[in-house]
Amino acid sequence: MNGLCNGKNVSEFHCRNAFSELSIDAKKTPFQCDHEKSRKESEDESRLPVLEAAYTTVLQALGEDADRQGLLRTPLRAAKAMQFLTKGYHESVYDILNDAIFDEDHEEMVIVKNIDMFSLCEHHLVPFFGKVHIGYLPNKKVVGLSKLARIVEIYSRRLQVQERLTKQIAMAISDALQPAGVAVVIEAAHMCMVMRGVQKMNSRTVTSTMLGVFREDPKAREEFLALTKNC
């Protein structure tokens, strides 16, 4: 969707789907990628019995009979679920951005908003979830739009706090693309505030990270916030 805002052409993209210190310039061969994936799968498989035993202990500590029919396979299911919910520890931006950064003579704002995000609070191991809005000002390089959602996925599939998650996403994009600016806003509901504690059903937490032009230029920041509000 092309629009006009503050006299600038703005490319706005709606996305409802998801950098380390490693350099994007280095390329991984398909063989290397397959080998890495196989190694990670083997590691998960080897750790599964330990996680399963831990969940059995938790059930027993709660006073449950871990051998009753409804719970017989619960420790294994829970262990596999936890591995999936934290799979971001085994992934890096290097892996997903390989060959997905393109030279392009485009210097106007690019926004991908309404990216669904699910993560686990590291304090209580309960979910928090919401939407992520990302904007960047290209510096002659653009990235495949789905890769921005994948970056969100990498960092959200870890034990997190929302403040750190917001910054990690922004820094990853900045390191990978070297753009003129990056802006990330997350709005999320935290089950640690809804299901327990203060039990406030309608509370939402909003965090933002602004880098480069978005931090230095109030007009650029206001333009991004105006385009991402009321989503």
Side-chain angles (χ1 to χ4, degrees):
M1 180 186 302
N2 290 328
L4 192 66
C5 185
N6 292 338
K8 296 180 180 178
N9 288 320
V10 178
S11 298
E12 178 181 332
F13 300 90
H14 299 258
C15 184
R16 300 191 179 274
N17 302 328
F19 203 63
S20 64
E21 295 77 11
L22 294 172
S23 171
I24 288 294
D25 293 332
K27 305 295 183 182
K28 278 189 176 182
T29 67
F31 174 79
Q32 288 174 313
C33 292
D34 290 343
H35 177 73
E36 185 75 6
K37 182 178 179 181
S38 177
R39 183 183 64 80
K40 292 171 182 175
E41 289 174 349
S42 296
E43 286 179 357
D44 273 353
E45 193 71 26
S46 66
R47 293 168 179 165
L48 199 57
V50 178
L51 279 171
E52 183 180 0
Y55 277 111
T56 300
T57 300
V58 169
L59 290 174
Q60 292 170 341
L62 291 173
E64 269 287 3
D65 176 8
D67 292 323
R68 70 178 175 86
Q69 186 180 27
L71 294 178
L72 273 178
R73 293 181 57 81
T74 295
L76 178 59
R77 294 190 192 101
K80 288 182 176 180
M82 183 58 74
Q83 285 186 333
F84 174 79
L85 294 172
T86 59
K87 66 187 180 72
Y89 287 122
H90 297 310
E91 299 172 338
S92 73
V93 177
Y94 174 94
D95 297 323
I96 67 161
L97 291 190
N98 204 20
D99 295 325
I101 296 177
F102 310 101
D103 295 327
E104 188 66 42
D105 188 19
H106 183 77
E107 298 178 334
E108 304 301 331
M109 195 180 300
V110 177
I111 296 174
V112 181
K113 65 183 186 178
N114 290 330
I115 302 172
D116 291 323
M117 178 278 299
F118 301 89
S119 192
L120 287 178
C121 165
E122 67 180 30
H123 300 142
H124 301 98
L125 300 185
V126 294
F128 67 94
F129 59 92
K131 302 288 186 181
V132 181
H133 314 305
I134 297 173
Y136 73 97
L137 283 165
N139 185 17
K140 305 297 185 181
K141 289 185 180 294
V142 298
V143 66
L145 296 178
S146 67
K147 301 304 182 182
L148 296 176
R150 290 288 304 278
I151 291 174
V152 172
E153 185 81 359
I154 285 174
Y155 290 106
S156 63
R157 294 300 187 187
R158 304 178 182 189
L159 302 183
Q160 278 287 10
V161 295
Q162 185 174 328
E163 298 88 340
R164 182 172 67 235
L165 174 60
T166 310
K167 187 172 183 178
Q168 285 178 332
I169 293 169
M171 292 299 298
I173 297 167
S174 181
D175 289 345
L177 293 179
Q178 299 294 310
V182 178
V184 177
V185 171
I186 299 179
E187 180 176 352
H190 291 248
M191 291 299 99
C192 59
M193 289 183 64
V194 174
M195 298 174 63
R196 57 164 299 282
V198 294
Q199 299 181 54
K200 300 302 181 185
M201 296 293 295
N202 297 313
S203 64
R204 297 292 184 273
T205 300
V206 180
T207 51
S208 70
T209 295
M210 305 287 168
L211 303 176
V213 172
F214 289 108
R215 187 177 185 89
E216 299 161 1
D217 185 352
K219 289 185 177 180
R221 182 164 62 249
E222 290 168 8
E223 182 177 344
F224 168 78
L225 294 174
L227 289 167
T228 54
K229 71 179 181 180
N230 300 323
C231 301

